[in-house]
Amino acid sequence: MPVISVTLLPGYPDEAQARLVTHLSAAARSVIPASEAGTTVFIHEASAYRRDGRVHAQGASALPAASEVVRAFLDAVGRRDGDAAARWMAPDFEMVFPGGQVMRRLEELSAWAATRYCTITKTIERMDESWQGDATLVFCSGTLAGRWLDGTAFEGVRFMDRFELQAGLIRRQAVWNDLGEARPRA
Amino acid sequence: MPVISVTLLPGYPDEAQARLVTHLSAAARSVIPASEAGTTVFIHEASAYRRDGRVHAQGASALPAASEVVRAFLDAVGRRDGDAAARWMAPDFEMVFPGGQVMRRLEELSAWAATRYCTITKTIERMDESWQGDATLVFCSGTLAGRWLDGTAFEGVRFMDRFELQAGLIRRQAVWNDLGEARPRA
Amino acid sequence: MPVISVTLLPGYPDEAQARLVTHLSAAARSVIPASEAGTTVFIHEASAYRRDGRVHAQGASALPAASEVVRAFLDAVGRRDGDAAARWMAPDFEMVFPGGQVMRRLEELSAWAATRYCTITKTIERMDESWQGDATLVFCSGTLAGRWLDGTAFEGVRFMDRFELQAGLIRRQAVWNDLGEARPRA
Amino acid sequence: MPVISVTLLPGYPDEAQARLVTHLSAAARSVIPASEAGTTVFIHEASAYRRDGRVHAQGASALPAASEVVRAFLDAVGRRDGDAAARWMAPDFEMVFPGGQVMRRLEELSAWAATRYCTITKTIERMDESWQGDATLVFCSGTLAGRWLDGTAFEGVRFMDRFELQAGLIRRQAVWNDLGEARPRA
Amino acid sequence: MPVISVTLLPGYPDEAQARLVTHLSAAARSVIPASEAGTTVFIHEASAYRRDGRVHAQGASALPAASEVVRAFLDAVGRRDGDAAARWMAPDFEMVFPGGQVMRRLEELSAWAATRYCTITKTIERMDESWQGDATLVFCSGTLAGRWLDGTAFEGVRFMDRFELQAGLIRRQAVWNDLGEARPRA
Amino acid sequence: MPVISVTLLPGYPDEAQARLVTHLSAAARSVIPASEAGTTVFIHEASAYRRDGRVHAQGASALPAASEVVRAFLDAVGRRDGDAAARWMAPDFEMVFPGGQVMRRLEELSAWAATRYCTITKTIERMDESWQGDATLVFCSGTLAGRWLDGTAFEGVRFMDRFELQAGLIRRQAVWNDLGEARPRA
């Protein structure tokens, strides 16, 4: 039943406007138990806009879609393209891995991983975004497959990664998975 | 810079209206890089409303805050109050635990846990909501403390729980944690 | 797809507000081929309103529903209650009957009818309103039954009455029917 | 006093937008006794629009003006251009004439008319639209002139046609007139 | 032609709302050459409002009408009621009189005036407000009458006072008048 | 806290739209004690607009900025360019000078001034506009410098001019200054 009208400065691309109305529809329905059919969101572009003593005529750039940023980052990491991955990492980027390992560079991650398994690949099952205003979180879950250090294979090992993005860059990745459950015990 | 106007039927409680404008502000800022100060959301209550051939005069009940539902559920589970916990469980409730254990009843969980540790307590560090329209996810993370079956203590073990809620009830809980990393090896 | 927002002064009764959103929905759909489900209309009551140099705080009375006025008038005429009928007649009320008969008073009508049939009753099948801004027309159609002057019965004779209302009163009634087709020829 | 704001997808032609604001103004004034000067209607084109889970960027085609459709149909019938007339007839087109004659094809009409008069022409005095959401009715009234089968002339014979349109096509024409009153009796 | 919609938190008194729509109408017409009849302003009270990270439910107090403040101040000064006048004076109140005399207290003014005339009264012809956002100016003009120090009378001497108000208090009064033209020369 | 939405016909230049939102912001803050940061004004251009029985598609010309008109007029007067000055004077233009001198033509002013001083220049310190709907007033204040008839110089002499504009032309100028205080006494 909610009707949501957004007034924006002109200039945001169609993709961002479509994303905006979709996010707002989802956010409204997290509080109001309205059906999709009963939830209307639209954008009006203002012809002139004044706030805080200034008149604006053009919108800023939209933020990139957080899930897309994470996907691009994971792709780059998966193909060991550190330069590509670095484009999505904030200056204070930090990773936390199972057992509480904290690392800041992808090289550290490679060294640490080499003590645990030979190869690993991620199959992403879902990406869920949590919109928090100043930051957006992306929760990425699915399964891991690969080979242990002794050469035996594993697959279907559950994982959950949480990414914290600010201004379109990843500041923090936290990882949980079942490798500790699955790994062969000495 | 976005100004968001919501038209609602009258009758939603103040708490739900405050939650709604807060969710919408966060959702808008996931796309438009506007500051808090530059993001305005307000609600107008309609005096009469017609859609789909019907005239409405009163809003439905608001959904409960998903994080609050999860907190109440976890409290009940923590104090082993199955009846209280059940009030928040959907008929098709399902839990998935590390290693891929699937359970549907809290008694199953107790039996399974008894094979892994004597006692356990959760310290919640954060709750993050993902609004998805038909469903809301709550990602609850923090640390576990307790005693292993051999009586030795553990603490600071990272966990991440994902809850899927629909219509205010929990349909699915998925759990990841570092207990597999932390637990003493035979 | 149209979303229609109406700003009104407060004070219009619920019935009038429901009628207003229903009329506006129908009017919009006469131009935009939107479904009922895709047509949203709501009313906001203004807290203060200024136009033409005056600040208003309270709405005027709503107009009565034109079809209801016509129904009440026809009921009164049907039971020959001239006083009740007169309450719905504008000072310049006029009737035009088949053959172009123009009359202004119900007594004239009775006298004229007496030259054509003994008794007559109307079965209303539908009432259709035409909203014209300054005036509203009501088109009332159905069938006539009764007895001719020679006592033979008739029924199922089609009729169509057009009523022109202004400010809630009937200014003009124009009548078409098939009595000329049906009536026994000498 | 009503101020009516319509949000539409972009792309509707100026003529349709002008028709829409005119219909809405008339519809509002059928309930609220506001003057023309006090009735304001405007259209905002949305930059993006989401309902029922879809984001739209372009409006549909507008419906044709119902009175124009009827006028074009009557013109075609008047000049016995069956092909032109057929363009405005819905597949389930049906006509009902005085006495309750039901016909579905213009050829049937011609044959029936040939038993009643030699020639006939319509002078339209007014067209009134009734907007009903799914359908629009057009009430067309005026006078008939022509020659009876015996060659004598008639003129000024009142008629009323009701047309029911859906999706811009005429589904049903119902005719009332005073020919039964006027026609020479054997 | 402008239609101006204001969204306010609830709680502002009717007088302030009427003043607000009147000021907005005047401000709009300082740019858009619309007639009074073509200028519409209304207020919607929001049911909930969020900006800058806070949800508000109640409006602040309105500012007093600046002209009324000036009138009350001048009345108090005219009847030499210093306490009443002081209620409208900001802590940094300052007066500037013809010749550039700067004074801060009414007693100084009395002393200075005593060197120029015996008695004086103001007849206010008009009050004009200049709305500047942080401040409101009131321009008060009319004529002065009284007696010179030599006892001869004067009247019809033009004056213009400019008052600067902030937060409802007068911070500065600047005075111009024709007393220098009118006063008898030695 | 006020959010002000203006619906305008398209076609007003950016400068006029910026001026409009600035004037409206100032006007709102003359009643509601909101900060600049908490005051939002934007313009939506309507795609179609109907009032008073007419559909409009294009806005009128905006009024010129009143302060700019006054500045251009004073510039022209200052450089004794009567033709340029006349472009800003309404047909019923009138000036009132200290002592109540009423003049209608700039030549009269020159003649009168020649009896009071040899040369004069204006240093404008501020321009304040008072928006009154049908008219806009501009209050222009600052200091005068020049030479008296006896050749002695003066400077820093306070002045205040009030201009009344209608439809972009100056109808009346009223002048107050301290020349009477400053001028050497015989």
Side-chain angles (χ1 to χ4, degrees):
Chain A
M1 232 151 290
V3 177
I4 299 170
S5 160
V6 186
T7 295
L8 274 191
L9 283 166
Y12 290 99
D14 288 352
E15 179 279 327
Q17 295 197 24
R19 192 152 33 102
L20 177 58
V21 294
T22 299
H23 285 201
L24 290 172
S25 175
R29 295 178 64 214
S30 72
V31 180
I32 306 295
S35 66
E36 273 278 24
T39 305
T40 303
V41 188
F42 50 80
I43 295 175
H44 285 143
E45 290 185 337
S47 172
Y49 182 98
R50 178 192 167 99
R51 200 187 63 80
D52 209 359
R54 275 162 305 173
V55 178
H56 305 266
Q58 182 74 21
S61 297
L63 293 170
S67 297
E68 294 309 306
V69 169
V70 167
R71 199 177 296 273
F73 171 77
L74 289 177
D75 278 357
V77 171
R79 61 176 196 269
R80 296 177 179 273
D81 182 346
D83 288 347
R87 286 172 41 203
W88 305 109
M89 293 154 64
D92 59 350
F93 176 77
E94 187 182 86
M95 294 171 282
V96 184
F97 273 76
Q101 295 291 322
V102 178
M103 290 169 277
R104 298 179 57 93
R105 291 177 305 112
L106 297 176
E107 297 79 37
E108 291 175 76
L109 173 58
S110 300
W112 178 75
T115 68
R116 296 172 56 95
Y117 39 75
C118 290
T119 63
I120 200 159
T121 59
K122 268 182 165 157
T123 303
I124 295 173
E125 281 172 6
R126 59 187 300 171
M127 294 265 206
D128 299 303
E129 296 188 6
S130 176
W131 309 314
Q132 314 232 337
D134 290 318
T136 291
L137 307 186
V138 178
F139 293 88
C140 172
S141 58
T143 57
L144 303 170
R147 290 195 176 273
W148 298 117
L149 294 178
D150 64 5
T152 57
F154 61 88
E155 64 173 356
V157 175
R158 298 159 68 249
F159 80 91
M160 160 63 79
D161 288 4
R162 180 180 67 205
F163 296 88
E164 302 180 24
L165 284 83
Q166 215 158 23
L169 297 178
I170 301 170
R171 296 188 60 199
R172 190 175 161 96
Q173 176 184 11
V175 174
W176 291 260
N177 60 45
D178 288 356
L179 284 178
E181 303 287 336
R183 118 168 142 257
R185 309 222 153 201
Chain B
M1 231 151 293
V3 176
I4 300 170
S5 160
V6 186
T7 295
L8 274 192
L9 283 166
Y12 289 101
D14 288 352
E15 178 280 326
Q17 295 198 24
R19 192 152 34 101
L20 178 58
V21 294
T22 299
H23 287 201
L24 290 170
S25 175
R29 294 178 65 213
S30 72
V31 179
I32 305 296
S35 65
E36 274 277 25
T39 305
T40 303
V41 188
F42 50 80
I43 295 174
H44 285 145
E45 290 184 335
S47 172
Y49 183 98
R50 179 191 167 98
R51 201 186 62 80
D52 210 358
R54 275 161 305 174
V55 178
H56 304 267
Q58 183 74 18
S61 297
L63 293 170
S67 298
E68 294 309 306
V69 168
V70 167
R71 200 177 294 275
F73 172 77
L74 289 176
D75 278 358
V77 170
R79 60 175 197 269
R80 295 175 182 274
D81 181 344
D83 288 347
R87 286 172 40 202
W88 305 107
M89 293 154 66
D92 59 351
F93 176 77
E94 188 183 88
M95 294 172 281
V96 183
F97 273 75
Q101 297 291 325
V102 178
M103 289 170 277
R104 299 178 56 93
R105 291 178 302 114
L106 296 176
E107 296 80 36
E108 290 176 78
L109 173 59
S110 300
W112 179 75
T115 69
R116 294 170 59 94
Y117 39 72
C118 289
T119 63
I120 199 159
T121 60
K122 267 181 167 159
T123 302
I124 295 172
E125 280 172 7
R126 59 188 298 169
M127 295 264 207
D128 299 302
E129 296 188 7
S130 176
W131 309 314
Q132 314 231 338
D134 289 319
T136 291
L137 306 187
V138 178
F139 294 89
C140 171
S141 58
T143 57
L144 303 170
R147 293 197 171 271
W148 297 116
L149 295 179
D150 65 5
T152 57
F154 60 89
E155 64 174 354
V157 176
R158 297 160 67 250
F159 79 92
M160 160 63 79
D161 288 3
R162 180 179 68 206
F163 296 88
E164 302 179 26
L165 283 83
Q166 215 158 23
L169 297 178
I170 302 170
R171 296 189 60 198
R172 191 176 160 96
Q173 177 185 9
V175 173
W176 291 261
N177 60 45
D178 287 358
L179 284 178
E181 302 287 336
R183 112 165 146 259
R185 309 226 153 200
Chain C
M1 231 150 295
V3 177
I4 300 170
S5 160
V6 185
T7 295
L8 274 192
L9 284 166
Y12 289 100
D14 289 351
E15 179 280 326
Q17 295 198 22
R19 193 152 35 102
L20 178 57
V21 293
T22 298
H23 286 200
L24 289 171
S25 175
R29 295 178 65 212
S30 72
V31 179
I32 306 295
S35 65
E36 274 278 25
T39 305
T40 304
V41 188
F42 49 81
I43 295 174
H44 285 144
E45 290 184 336
S47 173
Y49 181 100
R50 179 192 166 99
R51 199 185 66 78
D52 208 0
R54 274 161 307 173
V55 178
H56 305 267
Q58 183 73 20
S61 297
L63 293 170
S67 298
E68 294 309 308
V69 168
V70 167
R71 200 176 296 274
F73 171 76
L74 289 176
D75 279 357
V77 170
R79 62 175 195 268
R80 297 177 181 272
D81 181 346
D83 288 346
R87 286 173 39 204
W88 304 109
M89 293 155 66
D92 58 352
F93 176 78
E94 186 182 271
M95 295 171 281
V96 183
F97 272 77
Q101 296 292 323
V102 178
M103 291 170 274
R104 298 181 55 95
R105 290 178 304 111
L106 297 177
E107 297 78 38
E108 290 176 76
L109 173 57
S110 300
W112 178 75
T115 68
R116 293 169 60 93
Y117 38 75
C118 289
T119 65
I120 199 159
T121 60
K122 267 180 168 161
T123 302
I124 296 173
E125 281 171 8
R126 59 187 299 169
M127 293 264 205
D128 299 301
E129 295 187 7
S130 175
W131 309 314
Q132 316 231 337
D134 289 320
T136 291
L137 306 187
V138 177
F139 294 88
C140 170
S141 59
T143 56
L144 304 170
R147 291 195 174 274
W148 299 115
L149 294 178
D150 65 6
T152 59
F154 60 90
E155 64 176 353
V157 176
R158 299 160 66 250
F159 79 91
M160 159 64 79
D161 288 4
R162 179 180 69 206
F163 296 88
E164 302 180 25
L165 284 82
Q166 215 158 23
L169 296 178
I170 301 169
R171 295 189 59 199
R172 191 174 160 98
Q173 177 184 10
V175 173
W176 292 260
N177 60 45
D178 286 358
L179 284 178
E181 302 286 336
R183 109 165 148 261
R185 310 222 152 204
Chain D
M1 231 151 293
V3 176
I4 300 171
S5 160
V6 186
T7 295
L8 273 193
L9 282 166
Y12 290 99
D14 288 353
E15 177 279 326
Q17 295 197 22
R19 192 153 33 103
L20 178 58
V21 294
T22 299
H23 287 201
L24 290 171
S25 175
R29 295 177 65 213
S30 72
V31 179
I32 306 296
S35 66
E36 273 280 25
T39 304
T40 303
V41 188
F42 50 80
I43 295 175
H44 285 143
E45 290 184 336
S47 172
Y49 182 98
R50 178 191 167 99
R51 200 187 63 80
D52 210 358
R54 275 162 306 172
V55 178
H56 305 267
Q58 184 72 22
S61 297
L63 293 169
S67 297
E68 294 309 306
V69 168
V70 166
R71 199 175 297 273
F73 171 78
L74 289 176
D75 278 356
V77 170
R79 62 178 194 268
R80 296 178 179 270
D81 182 344
D83 289 345
R87 286 174 40 204
W88 305 109
M89 291 155 66
D92 60 350
F93 176 77
E94 187 182 271
M95 294 172 282
V96 184
F97 274 77
Q101 297 291 323
V102 179
M103 289 170 276
R104 298 180 58 93
R105 290 178 305 113
L106 296 177
E107 298 78 38
E108 292 175 76
L109 174 58
S110 299
W112 178 74
T115 68
R116 295 170 57 95
Y117 39 75
C118 291
T119 64
I120 199 160
T121 59
K122 270 182 165 159
T123 302
I124 296 173
E125 281 171 7
R126 59 188 299 168
M127 293 265 206
D128 299 301
E129 297 188 7
S130 175
W131 309 314
Q132 315 230 337
D134 290 318
T136 291
L137 307 187
V138 177
F139 294 88
C140 171
S141 58
T143 57
L144 304 170
R147 291 197 174 273
W148 297 116
L149 295 177
D150 64 5
T152 58
F154 61 89
E155 64 175 356
V157 176
R158 297 159 68 249
F159 79 91
M160 159 64 78
D161 289 3
R162 178 178 71 205
F163 296 88
E164 303 180 25
L165 284 83
Q166 215 158 23
L169 297 177
I170 302 170
R171 296 187 60 198
R172 190 177 162 97
Q173 176 184 10
V175 173
W176 291 259
N177 59 44
D178 288 356
L179 285 178
E181 303 286 336
R183 134 168 128 247
R185 310 227 150 198
Chain E
M1 235 150 291
V3 177
I4 300 170
S5 160
V6 185
T7 296
L8 274 191
L9 284 166
Y12 290 101
D14 288 352
E15 178 280 327
Q17 295 198 23
R19 191 152 35 102
L20 178 58
V21 295
T22 298
H23 287 200
L24 290 170
S25 175
R29 295 178 65 213
S30 71
V31 179
I32 305 296
S35 66
E36 273 279 25
T39 304
T40 304
V41 188
F42 50 80
I43 295 174
H44 283 146
E45 290 184 336
S47 173
Y49 182 99
R50 179 192 166 98
R51 201 187 63 80
D52 209 359
R54 275 161 307 174
V55 178
H56 305 266
Q58 183 73 20
S61 296
L63 292 170
S67 297
E68 294 310 306
V69 168
V70 167
R71 200 177 296 274
F73 171 77
L74 289 177
D75 278 357
V77 170
R79 62 175 195 267
R80 297 176 180 270
D81 181 346
D83 288 346
R87 286 174 39 205
W88 305 109
M89 292 155 67
D92 59 351
F93 175 79
E94 187 181 271
M95 295 171 281
V96 184
F97 273 76
Q101 297 291 324
V102 178
M103 291 170 275
R104 298 180 57 92
R105 290 179 303 113
L106 298 177
E107 298 79 38
E108 292 175 76
L109 173 58
S110 299
W112 179 75
T115 69
R116 294 170 58 92
Y117 39 74
C118 290
T119 63
I120 199 160
T121 58
K122 268 180 166 160
T123 302
I124 296 173
E125 280 172 8
R126 60 187 298 170
M127 294 265 206
D128 299 301
E129 296 188 7
S130 176
W131 309 314
Q132 315 230 341
D134 290 318
T136 291
L137 307 187
V138 177
F139 294 88
C140 172
S141 58
T143 56
L144 304 171
R147 292 195 173 272
W148 298 115
L149 294 178
D150 66 4
T152 58
F154 60 89
E155 65 173 355
V157 176
R158 296 160 67 249
F159 78 92
M160 159 63 80
D161 289 2
R162 179 179 70 205
F163 296 88
E164 302 179 28
L165 284 83
Q166 215 158 23
L169 297 178
I170 301 169
R171 295 189 59 198
R172 190 173 162 97
Q173 177 184 8
V175 173
W176 291 262
N177 59 46
D178 287 357
L179 286 178
E181 303 286 338
R183 125 167 135 251
R185 309 223 153 201
Chain F
M1 232 150 291
V3 177
I4 300 170
S5 160
V6 185
T7 295
L8 274 192
L9 282 165
Y12 289 100
D14 289 352
E15 178 279 326
Q17 294 197 22
R19 190 151 38 100
L20 178 57
V21 294
T22 298
H23 287 201
L24 290 171
S25 175
R29 295 178 65 214
S30 72
V31 179
I32 306 296
S35 66
E36 273 279 23
T39 304
T40 303
V41 188
F42 49 80
I43 294 174
H44 285 143
E45 289 184 338
S47 172
Y49 181 99
R50 180 192 166 99
R51 200 186 64 79
D52 210 359
R54 276 161 305 172
V55 178
H56 305 267
Q58 183 73 21
S61 297
L63 292 171
S67 297
E68 294 309 306
V69 168
V70 167
R71 199 176 297 273
F73 171 76
L74 289 176
D75 278 357
V77 170
R79 61 176 196 270
R80 294 175 182 275
D81 182 345
D83 289 345
R87 286 173 41 204
W88 304 109
M89 291 155 67
D92 59 351
F93 176 79
E94 186 183 270
M95 295 172 281
V96 182
F97 274 75
Q101 296 292 323
V102 178
M103 289 169 277
R104 299 179 56 94
R105 291 176 305 113
L106 296 177
E107 298 78 38
E108 290 176 77
L109 172 57
S110 300
W112 179 74
T115 67
R116 294 171 58 95
Y117 39 75
C118 288
T119 65
I120 199 159
T121 60
K122 266 181 168 159
T123 302
I124 295 174
E125 280 171 6
R126 60 187 299 169
M127 293 265 206
D128 300 300
E129 295 188 6
S130 176
W131 308 314
Q132 315 231 336
D134 290 320
T136 292
L137 306 188
V138 178
F139 294 88
C140 171
S141 58
T143 57
L144 304 170
R147 290 196 175 272
W148 298 116
L149 295 177
D150 64 8
T152 58
F154 62 89
E155 65 174 355
V157 176
R158 298 160 66 248
F159 79 90
M160 159 64 79
D161 288 4
R162 179 179 70 204
F163 295 88
E164 301 181 27
L165 284 82
Q166 214 159 26
L169 296 177
I170 302 170
R171 296 188 60 199
R172 189 176 161 97
Q173 176 185 9
V175 174
W176 292 260
N177 59 45
D178 288 356
L179 285 178
E181 303 286 337
R183 125 168 135 252
R185 309 222 154 204

